Amino acid sequence: MLVCPVRDCHLPLTRVERRAVCPRGHSFDVARSGYINLMQPQERRSKQPGDTTAAVKARRRLHDRGVTEPLLHAIAEIVGALPSDIVLDAGCGDGFYLGGMAGQTGFDAHGVDISTAAVDAAARRYPRCEWIVANADRFLPYADGSFSIVMSITGRMNASEFRRVGRGHLLVAVSAPDDLRELRGAGRDRVQRTVETFANGFELVERERVTTVAELSAEDARDILTATYRPREAPPQRVTLALDLLLFRVSGSGYRS
Ligand SMILES: [Zn+2]
């Protein structure tokens, strides 16, 4: 189901010891922690694309202290009600949402993110899921129709690729206007624009807003600032986390409609 990311290749990848190789001889490393790095040299514009190690660690500590638990709960409730034998999280970060749900439900879980630091953290914490470093903005390295559910939790949105690799549902979470309001003030409502992004190939079947207000310890506050790349701001005492959850069903025929 994993396919070669090289342009015009896209043949199946097979694991051979510590490599993933395609029939044309393109070859990718399997890291010690178990993830596969499918980034190609020309894609590595910066040394560390995506989230930094410091932001990944801060976010993991916040997850571990339960700050984001209500968000996971709301997402797991939606996913749990769907047929979910094989799930992709595009922009999986440190794997908190996908790994947490896979541990409870036992579905076949695949996560992809552009940040090596984040995917390494995911692979160490949730070794039974499959983790890939790749640029999902360009190409999702999976065969057509691979996944019963595709998720994008505050991640990038590649509608045509989500449609190509998905065959059931798409769950998109975007920041709601109140998200991090103590840090950035009221934000935009992204629902309308997100629905338009997925108008071709998907149909909206459910929407829900989940909001939680977390009282922060000094350590939590520092981690929130690190995780949101605001190292110099005054630490907040509480923070609102709010997501708009949009559930779509794939519609129409053909993967590239
Ligand atoms: Zn290839």
Side-chain angles (χ1 to χ4, degrees):
M1 177 188 47
L2 200 61
V3 301
C4 180
V6 173
R7 188 188 292 271
D8 301 329
C9 182
H10 300 180
L11 291 176
L13 287 172
T14 317
R15 286 279 286 269
V16 180
E17 294 173 0
R18 307 302 292 175
R19 314 282 291 163
V21 297
C22 84
R24 291 199 177 96
H26 302 127
S27 175
F28 303 89
D29 289 331
V30 179
R32 196 169 307 150
S33 59
Y35 69 86
I36 304 174
N37 192 336
L38 297 184
M39 291 286 278
Q40 298 170 72
Q42 69 272 21
E43 290 180 307
R44 302 181 197 193
R45 266 170 290 173
S46 72
K47 276 217 169 69
Q48 194 178 48
D51 280 319
T52 63
T53 303
V56 168
K57 285 185 171 168
R59 211 160 292 157
R60 167 64 61 78
R61 287 191 295 266
L62 291 164
H63 291 320
D64 284 345
R65 290 196 298 267
V67 172
T68 50
E69 195 68 33
L71 307 180
L72 172 60
H73 198 78
I75 291 168
E77 222 159 61
I78 293 176
V79 170
L82 300 171
S84 57
D85 52 324
I86 175 161
V87 178
L88 172 69
D89 187 353
C92 61
D94 72 355
F96 171 71
Y97 294 103
L98 182 71
M101 285 189 280
Q104 288 170 358
T105 65
F107 57 60
D108 189 359
H110 298 255
V112 58
D113 200 283
I114 200 170
S115 164
T116 304
V119 170
D120 187 58
R124 289 172 194 278
R125 175 67 65 93
Y126 309 103
R128 285 165 58 199
C129 310
E130 183 168 286
W131 305 102
I132 303 293
V133 177
N135 182 356
D137 280 349
R138 194 176 69 77
F139 175 68
L140 285 170
Y142 305 94
D144 295 359
S146 291
F147 299 101
S148 53
I149 299 179
V150 176
M151 303 194 302
S152 168
I153 311 297
T154 66
R156 305 297 285 263
M157 299 177 203
N158 187 336
S160 60
E161 280 294 274
F162 289 178
R163 181 65 186 84
R164 184 183 63 78
V165 302
R167 55 178 146 84
H169 289 86
L170 167 68
L171 178 64
V172 179
V174 291
S175 290
D178 278 352
D179 192 44
L180 301 174
R181 67 175 308 149
E182 294 82 357
L183 296 179
R184 65 178 192 189
R188 288 183 298 122
D189 189 316
R190 295 173 163 84
V191 169
Q192 182 68 26
R193 197 164 149 204
T194 306
V195 170
E196 283 163 15
T197 299
F198 294 103
N200 192 4
F202 297 94
E203 121 187 59
L204 183 69
V205 291
E206 192 180 323
R207 61 177 282 189
E208 179 186 330
R209 179 167 289 173
V210 54
T211 302
T212 178
V213 179
E215 302 294 328
L216 303 177
S217 66
E219 194 187 8
D220 291 335
R222 276 195 304 275
D223 282 340
I224 283 276
L225 294 177
T226 304
T228 56
Y229 302 98
R230 298 160 191 272
R232 277 182 286 278
E233 289 184 23
Q237 290 187 315
R238 69 184 60 80
V239 72
T240 304
L241 301 174
L243 296 177
D244 281 313
L245 306 178
L246 305 174
L247 180 66
F248 299 86
R249 182 165 51 210
V250 302
S251 64
S253 59
Y255 293 121
R256 295 180 190 280
S257 52

